[in-house]
């Protein structure tokens, strides 16, 4: 496996602080990674803690053959000085359910099943799998900060929607919003930048 950290792609409407993961193994694998934050001189920022949204540091992210991503979160003194990360693979295992070649897409739905935007107060999420194999995914509802110019945008709140969900081959699945997820949607709708992201998991 190899990795590339992208703080800011320079393209509007794209996520910051992404970890690009390349898996050259001919199978979907579940890595457990650890991270060190580095400054622009490639010195370790010892006060910065690195976490993930999709769980590549917890053995929750399934990475297919080819490329995939996780999203990193930084906390602690110096978190705005991160220019790169050093990644260590602690262990890997073969995924119990392979990931597809394409990302599972998400669509917010209102209480009547109608499509609405992710910025509104939605009641469910429809997942769509265009691949010819069933996949298992989790959904993260992500609230982003509004940083000043020159500072990468960071996820400040991440709330799971539902649990592990199987999406059939060339099919869809609907996950209803309840509990803490419903509270997060109510709190953040019609306001700040949010994302609804599905990722391969087990």
């Amino acid at each position: 496996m190899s990795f590339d950290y992208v703080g800011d792609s320079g393209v509007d409407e794209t996520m910051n602080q992404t970890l690009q993961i390349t898996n050259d193994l001919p199978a979907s694998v579940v890595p457990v990674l650890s991270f060190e934050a580095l400054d622009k001189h490639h010195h370790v920022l010892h006060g910065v803690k690195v976490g993930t949204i999709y769980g590549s540091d917890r053995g929750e992210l399934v990475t297919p053959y080819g490329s995939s991503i996780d999203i990193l979160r930084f906390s602690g003194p110096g978190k705005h000085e991160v220019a790169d990360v050093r990644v260590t693979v602690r262990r890997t295992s073969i995924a119990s359910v392979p990931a597809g070649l394409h990302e599972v897409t998400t669509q917010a739905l209102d209480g009547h099943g109608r499509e609405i935007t992710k910025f509104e107060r939605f009641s469910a999420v429809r997942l769509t799998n265009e691949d010819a194999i069933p996949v298992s995914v989790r959904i993260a509802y992500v609230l982003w900060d509004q940083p000043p110019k020159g500072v990468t945008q960071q996820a400040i709140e991440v709330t799971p929607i539902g649990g592990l969900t199987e999406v059939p081959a060339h099919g869809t699945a609907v996950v209803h919003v309840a509990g803490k997820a419903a509270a997060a949607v109510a709190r953040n709708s019609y306001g700040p930048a949010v994302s609804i992201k599905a990722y391969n998991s087990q």
Side-chain angles (χ1 to χ4, degrees), residues 97-180:
V97 178
L101 294 175
H102 303 91
E103 289 186 5
V104 170
T105 59
T106 62
Q107 173 60 57
L109 305 173
D110 67 11
H112 301 285
R114 295 176 296 212
E115 296 184 1
I116 57 176
T117 72
K118 62 187 176 182
F119 302 106
E120 299 175 76
R121 189 167 179 174
F122 57 91
S123 299
V125 177
R126 184 175 65 228
L127 302 167
T128 300
N129 172 22
E130 64 178 281
D131 285 309
I133 60 171
V135 296
S136 292
V137 301
R138 299 182 192 273
I139 306 172
Y141 178 63
V142 185
L143 173 67
W144 302 93
D145 67 4
Q146 303 294 310
K149 187 175 181 179
V151 176
T152 55
Q153 189 177 40
Q154 173 157 258
I156 55 174
E157 182 180 295
V158 181
T159 307
I161 297 177
L164 187 65
T165 302
E166 181 175 306
V167 190
H170 297 306
T172 63
V174 174
V175 179
H176 294 279
V177 179
K180 291 182 179 180

Side-chain angles (χ1 to χ4, degrees), residues 5-169:
Y5 170 70
V6 180
D8 184 351
S9 70
V11 179
D12 290 342
E13 304 299 321
T14 60
M15 294 181 296
N16 287 184
Q17 298 183 187
T18 58
L19 180 72
Q20 312 288 330
I21 303 171
T22 301
N23 171 24
D24 291 330
L25 297 172
S28 295
V29 300
V30 181
V32 177
L33 310 177
S34 63
F35 304 93
E36 289 181 300
L38 307 176
D39 66 15
K40 63 183 179 180
H41 303 294
H42 266 244
H43 297 150
V44 176
L45 293 163
H46 294 286
V48 178
K49 182 179 179 181
V50 185
T52 70
I53 291 181
Y54 295 169
S56 61
D57 57 343
R58 305 184 298 274
E60 292 183 359
L61 177 66
V62 174
T63 61
Y65 167 74
S67 62
S68 58
I69 69 164
D70 202 341
I71 307 166
L72 304 185
R73 305 173 72 185
F74 306 126
S75 60
K79 66 181 181 180
H80 295 308
E81 300 172 28
V82 178
D84 203 351
V85 294
R86 180 179 295 138
V87 184
T88 300
V89 179
R90 296 300 182 188
R91 61 181 182 274
T92 60
S93 59
I94 300 299
S96 56
V97 178
L101 294 175
H102 303 91
E103 289 186 5
V104 170
T105 59
T106 62
Q107 173 60 57
L109 305 173
D110 67 11
H112 301 285
R114 295 176 296 212
E115 296 184 1
I116 57 176
T117 72
K118 62 187 176 182
F119 302 106
E120 299 175 76
R121 189 167 179 174
F122 57 91
S123 299
V125 177
R126 184 175 65 228
L127 302 167
T128 300
N129 172 22
E130 64 178 281
D131 285 309
I133 60 171
V135 296
S136 292
V137 301
R138 299 182 192 273
I139 306 172
Y141 178 63
V142 185
L143 173 67
W144 302 93
D145 67 4
Q146 303 294 310
K149 187 175 181 179
V151 176
T152 55
Q153 189 177 40
Q154 173 157 258
I156 55 174
E157 182 180 295
V158 181
T159 307
I161 297 177
L164 187 65
T165 302
E166 181 175 306
V167 190

